[in-house]
Amino acid sequence: MPDDLESASLTAEELDVWAGVATLLERLPVALDAQLQRDSGLTNFEHGILFALFSAPRSTLRLSVLANYASCTLSRLSRAISRLEAKGWVRREADPTDGRFTFGILTDAGRSKVLESTPAHHALIRRLIFDALSPAQAKALGVITRKIAETIGPDAVWRAQDPTAQQAE
């Protein structure tokens, strides 16, 4: 093995950890998409957009902020928003304070879709992740994944807000 490749190679322990992470990255999106497609006709990406809007104040976010949360390009987000608009779940509106920006706004039908699709989705997440871990492991997983996400890029990592506070608005 050449010296430069050898010095960059992962140790056996690191390779074992990476194999677990890589397998998770392959399997989890497939499982999430399959459940959402079957039960709600949504992809995990689309559900994430709807849920982020649902969780936002006034169910409204600038598309640039939403793209940041979704870790996607504005082009990919725009295509998804177009699909969601066609179903009547989201609408776009120019930012009245700065016309360079566009808001994504969750409609009443979109709110209903989130309320319909989320319980089964969260049940799957609970089964796949939280039921498999102790509370301490789950907390550690949150710390670890946020640390890795912050290392990958400077953009803020989306954080869930208290859903009871959002519902009161």
Side-chain angles (χ1 to χ4, degrees), residues 135-152:
Q137 289 171 323
K139 185 174 182 174
L141 179 63
V143 170
I144 292 164
T145 56
R146 286 189 185 288
K147 179 68 175 167
I148 293 169
E150 290 165 358
T151 299
I152 292 169

PDB file of all heavy atoms in Angstrom, residues 135-152:
ATOM      1  N   PRO A 135     -32.384   5.746  26.797  1.00  0.00           N
ATOM      2  CA  PRO A 135     -32.464   7.213  26.790  1.00  0.00           C
ATOM      3  C   PRO A 135     -31.089   7.882  26.726  1.00  0.00           C
ATOM      4  O   PRO A 135     -30.918   8.878  26.020  1.00  0.00           O
ATOM      5  CB  PRO A 135     -33.197   7.532  28.099  1.00  0.00           C
ATOM      6  CG  PRO A 135     -34.051   6.322  28.337  1.00  0.00           C
ATOM      7  CD  PRO A 135     -33.198   5.156  27.873  1.00  0.00           C
ATOM      8  N   ALA A 136     -30.110   7.337  27.426  1.00  0.00           N
ATOM      9  CA  ALA A 136     -28.755   7.914  27.387  1.00  0.00           C
ATOM     10  C   ALA A 136     -28.141   7.781  25.994  1.00  0.00           C
ATOM     11  O   ALA A 136     -27.479   8.701  25.510  1.00  0.00           O
ATOM     12  CB  ALA A 136     -27.863   7.248  28.434  1.00  0.00           C
ATOM     13  N   GLN A 137     -28.349   6.638  25.342  1.00  0.00           N
ATOM     14  CA  GLN A 137     -27.825   6.453  23.985  1.00  0.00           C
ATOM     15  C   GLN A 137     -28.508   7.404  23.013  1.00  0.00           C
ATOM     16  O   GLN A 137     -27.862   7.968  22.124  1.00  0.00           O
ATOM     17  CB  GLN A 137     -28.020   5.007  23.533  1.00  0.00           C
ATOM     18  CG  GLN A 137     -27.123   4.014  24.224  1.00  0.00           C
ATOM     19  CD  GLN A 137     -27.506   2.581  23.891  1.00  0.00           C
ATOM     20  OE1 GLN A 137     -28.682   2.238  23.756  1.00  0.00           O
ATOM     21  NE2 GLN A 137     -26.484   1.735  23.771  1.00  0.00           N
ATOM     22  N   ALA A 138     -29.819   7.586  23.161  1.00  0.00           N
ATOM     23  CA  ALA A 138     -30.547   8.495  22.276  1.00  0.00           C
ATOM     24  C   ALA A 138     -30.036   9.927  22.432  1.00  0.00           C
ATOM     25  O   ALA A 138     -29.832  10.639  21.444  1.00  0.00           O
ATOM     26  CB  ALA A 138     -32.049   8.419  22.561  1.00  0.00           C
ATOM     27  N   LYS A 139     -29.817  10.339  23.669  1.00  0.00           N
ATOM     28  CA  LYS A 139     -29.283  11.682  23.914  1.00  0.00           C
ATOM     29  C   LYS A 139     -27.890  11.820  23.299  1.00  0.00           C
ATOM     30  O   LYS A 139     -27.578  12.823  22.648  1.00  0.00           O
ATOM     31  CB  LYS A 139     -29.236  11.975  25.410  1.00  0.00           C
ATOM     32  CG  LYS A 139     -28.812  13.380  25.725  1.00  0.00           C
ATOM     33  CD  LYS A 139     -28.915  13.685  27.201  1.00  0.00           C
ATOM     34  CE  LYS A 139     -28.525  15.128  27.441  1.00  0.00           C
ATOM     35  NZ  LYS A 139     -28.735  15.537  28.814  1.00  0.00           N
ATOM     36  N   ALA A 140     -27.058  10.800  23.478  1.00  0.00           N
ATOM     37  CA  ALA A 140     -25.712  10.816  22.897  1.00  0.00           C
ATOM     38  C   ALA A 140     -25.782  10.867  21.373  1.00  0.00           C
ATOM     39  O   ALA A 140     -25.000  11.585  20.735  1.00  0.00           O
ATOM     40  CB  ALA A 140     -24.913   9.600  23.358  1.00  0.00           C
ATOM     41  N   LEU A 141     -26.714  10.133  20.798  1.00  0.00           N
ATOM     42  CA  LEU A 141     -26.879  10.150  19.335  1.00  0.00           C
ATOM     43  C   LEU A 141     -27.207  11.560  18.859  1.00  0.00           C
ATOM     44  O   LEU A 141     -26.654  12.033  17.860  1.00  0.00           O
ATOM     45  CB  LEU A 141     -27.971   9.171  18.902  1.00  0.00           C
ATOM     46  CG  LEU A 141     -28.258   9.115  17.405  1.00  0.00           C
ATOM     47  CD1 LEU A 141     -27.035   8.631  16.624  1.00  0.00           C
ATOM     48  CD2 LEU A 141     -29.467   8.222  17.140  1.00  0.00           C
ATOM     49  N   GLY A 142     -28.082  12.268  19.580  1.00  0.00           N
ATOM     50  CA  GLY A 142     -28.407  13.646  19.222  1.00  0.00           C
ATOM     51  C   GLY A 142     -27.193  14.550  19.269  1.00  0.00           C
ATOM     52  O   GLY A 142     -26.953  15.346  18.362  1.00  0.00           O
ATOM     53  N   VAL A 143     -26.401  14.424  20.315  1.00  0.00           N
ATOM     54  CA  VAL A 143     -25.184  15.237  20.455  1.00  0.00           C
ATOM     55  C   VAL A 143     -24.203  14.904  19.327  1.00  0.00           C
ATOM     56  O   VAL A 143     -23.640  15.804  18.683  1.00  0.00           O
ATOM     57  CB  VAL A 143     -24.538  15.015  21.842  1.00  0.00           C
ATOM     58  CG1 VAL A 143     -23.153  15.652  21.913  1.00  0.00           C
ATOM     59  CG2 VAL A 143     -25.448  15.551  22.942  1.00  0.00           C
ATOM     60  N   ILE A 144     -24.019  13.628  19.076  1.00  0.00           N
ATOM     61  CA  ILE A 144     -23.061  13.183  18.055  1.00  0.00           C
ATOM     62  C   ILE A 144     -23.479  13.636  16.664  1.00  0.00           C
ATOM     63  O   ILE A 144     -22.660  14.169  15.898  1.00  0.00           O
ATOM     64  CB  ILE A 144     -22.895  11.644  18.113  1.00  0.00           C
ATOM     65  CG1 ILE A 144     -22.185  11.241  19.409  1.00  0.00           C
ATOM     66  CG2 ILE A 144     -22.177  11.115  16.879  1.00  0.00           C
ATOM     67  CD1 ILE A 144     -22.310   9.756  19.741  1.00  0.00           C
ATOM     68  N   THR A 145     -24.736  13.432  16.312  1.00  0.00           N
ATOM     69  CA  THR A 145     -25.175  13.789  14.959  1.00  0.00           C
ATOM     70  C   THR A 145     -25.130  15.296  14.736  1.00  0.00           C
ATOM     71  O   THR A 145     -24.760  15.745  13.647  1.00  0.00           O
ATOM     72  CB  THR A 145     -26.576  13.225  14.657  1.00  0.00           C
ATOM     73  OG1 THR A 145     -27.498  13.683  15.660  1.00  0.00           O
ATOM     74  CG2 THR A 145     -26.556  11.702  14.609  1.00  0.00           C
ATOM     75  N   ARG A 146     -25.464  16.090  15.752  1.00  0.00           N
ATOM     76  CA  ARG A 146     -25.364  17.550  15.607  1.00  0.00           C
ATOM     77  C   ARG A 146     -23.908  17.982  15.431  1.00  0.00           C
ATOM     78  O   ARG A 146     -23.602  18.854  14.628  1.00  0.00           O
ATOM     79  CB  ARG A 146     -25.988  18.260  16.793  1.00  0.00           C
ATOM     80  CG  ARG A 146     -27.483  18.201  16.758  1.00  0.00           C
ATOM     81  CD  ARG A 146     -28.140  19.066  17.799  1.00  0.00           C
ATOM     82  NE  ARG A 146     -29.566  18.842  17.759  1.00  0.00           N
ATOM     83  CZ  ARG A 146     -30.373  19.267  16.794  1.00  0.00           C
ATOM     84  NH1 ARG A 146     -29.884  19.948  15.791  1.00  0.00           N
ATOM     85  NH2 ARG A 146     -31.656  19.004  16.824  1.00  0.00           N
ATOM     86  N   LYS A 147     -23.008  17.355  16.181  1.00  0.00           N
ATOM     87  CA  LYS A 147     -21.576  17.676  16.069  1.00  0.00           C
ATOM     88  C   LYS A 147     -21.073  17.376  14.662  1.00  0.00           C
ATOM     89  O   LYS A 147     -20.359  18.190  14.059  1.00  0.00           O
ATOM     90  CB  LYS A 147     -20.789  16.882  17.119  1.00  0.00           C
ATOM     91  CG  LYS A 147     -19.297  17.105  17.079  1.00  0.00           C
ATOM     92  CD  LYS A 147     -18.942  18.509  17.494  1.00  0.00           C
ATOM     93  CE  LYS A 147     -17.429  18.664  17.556  1.00  0.00           C
ATOM     94  NZ  LYS A 147     -17.041  20.055  17.644  1.00  0.00           N
ATOM     95  N   ILE A 148     -21.452  16.221  14.126  1.00  0.00           N
ATOM     96  CA  ILE A 148     -21.034  15.871  12.767  1.00  0.00           C
ATOM     97  C   ILE A 148     -21.643  16.837  11.758  1.00  0.00           C
ATOM     98  O   ILE A 148     -20.951  17.321  10.850  1.00  0.00           O
ATOM     99  CB  ILE A 148     -21.401  14.408  12.444  1.00  0.00           C
ATOM    100  CG1 ILE A 148     -20.573  13.454  13.322  1.00  0.00           C
ATOM    101  CG2 ILE A 148     -21.187  14.109  10.957  1.00  0.00           C
ATOM    102  CD1 ILE A 148     -21.035  12.009  13.277  1.00  0.00           C
ATOM    103  N   ALA A 149     -22.940  17.148  11.909  1.00  0.00           N
ATOM    104  CA  ALA A 149     -23.599  18.080  10.986  1.00  0.00           C
ATOM    105  C   ALA A 149     -22.917  19.449  11.008  1.00  0.00           C
ATOM    106  O   ALA A 149     -22.718  20.064   9.956  1.00  0.00           O
ATOM    107  CB  ALA A 149     -25.076  18.205  11.334  1.00  0.00           C
ATOM    108  N   GLU A 150     -22.547  19.922  12.197  1.00  0.00           N
ATOM    109  CA  GLU A 150     -21.865  21.213  12.312  1.00  0.00           C
ATOM    110  C   GLU A 150     -20.467  21.162  11.708  1.00  0.00           C
ATOM    111  O   GLU A 150     -19.974  22.163  11.178  1.00  0.00           O
ATOM    112  CB  GLU A 150     -21.813  21.643  13.776  1.00  0.00           C
ATOM    113  CG  GLU A 150     -23.191  22.017  14.319  1.00  0.00           C
ATOM    114  CD  GLU A 150     -23.256  22.094  15.838  1.00  0.00           C
ATOM    115  OE1 GLU A 150     -22.234  21.828  16.516  1.00  0.00           O
ATOM    116  OE2 GLU A 150     -24.348  22.405  16.348  1.00  0.00           O
ATOM    117  N   THR A 151     -19.813  20.008  11.770  1.00  0.00           N
ATOM    118  CA  THR A 151     -18.491  19.850  11.174  1.00  0.00           C
ATOM    119  C   THR A 151     -18.590  19.876   9.644  1.00  0.00           C
ATOM    120  O   THR A 151     -17.715  20.414   8.970  1.00  0.00           O
ATOM    121  CB  THR A 151     -17.848  18.525  11.647  1.00  0.00           C
ATOM    122  OG1 THR A 151     -17.722  18.570  13.071  1.00  0.00           O
ATOM    123  CG2 THR A 151     -16.480  18.320  11.027  1.00  0.00           C
ATOM    124  N   ILE A 152     -19.674  19.314   9.114  1.00  0.00           N
ATOM    125  CA  ILE A 152     -19.860  19.266   7.661  1.00  0.00           C
ATOM    126  C   ILE A 152     -20.082  20.656   7.091  1.00  0.00           C
ATOM    127  O   ILE A 152     -19.563  20.988   6.028  1.00  0.00           O
ATOM    128  CB  ILE A 152     -21.026  18.323   7.301  1.00  0.00           C
ATOM    129  CG1 ILE A 152     -20.639  16.876   7.626  1.00  0.00           C
ATOM    130  CG2 ILE A 152     -21.410  18.464   5.823  1.00  0.00           C
ATOM    131  CD1 ILE A 152     -21.788  15.888   7.560  1.00  0.00           C
TER     132      ILE A 152
END
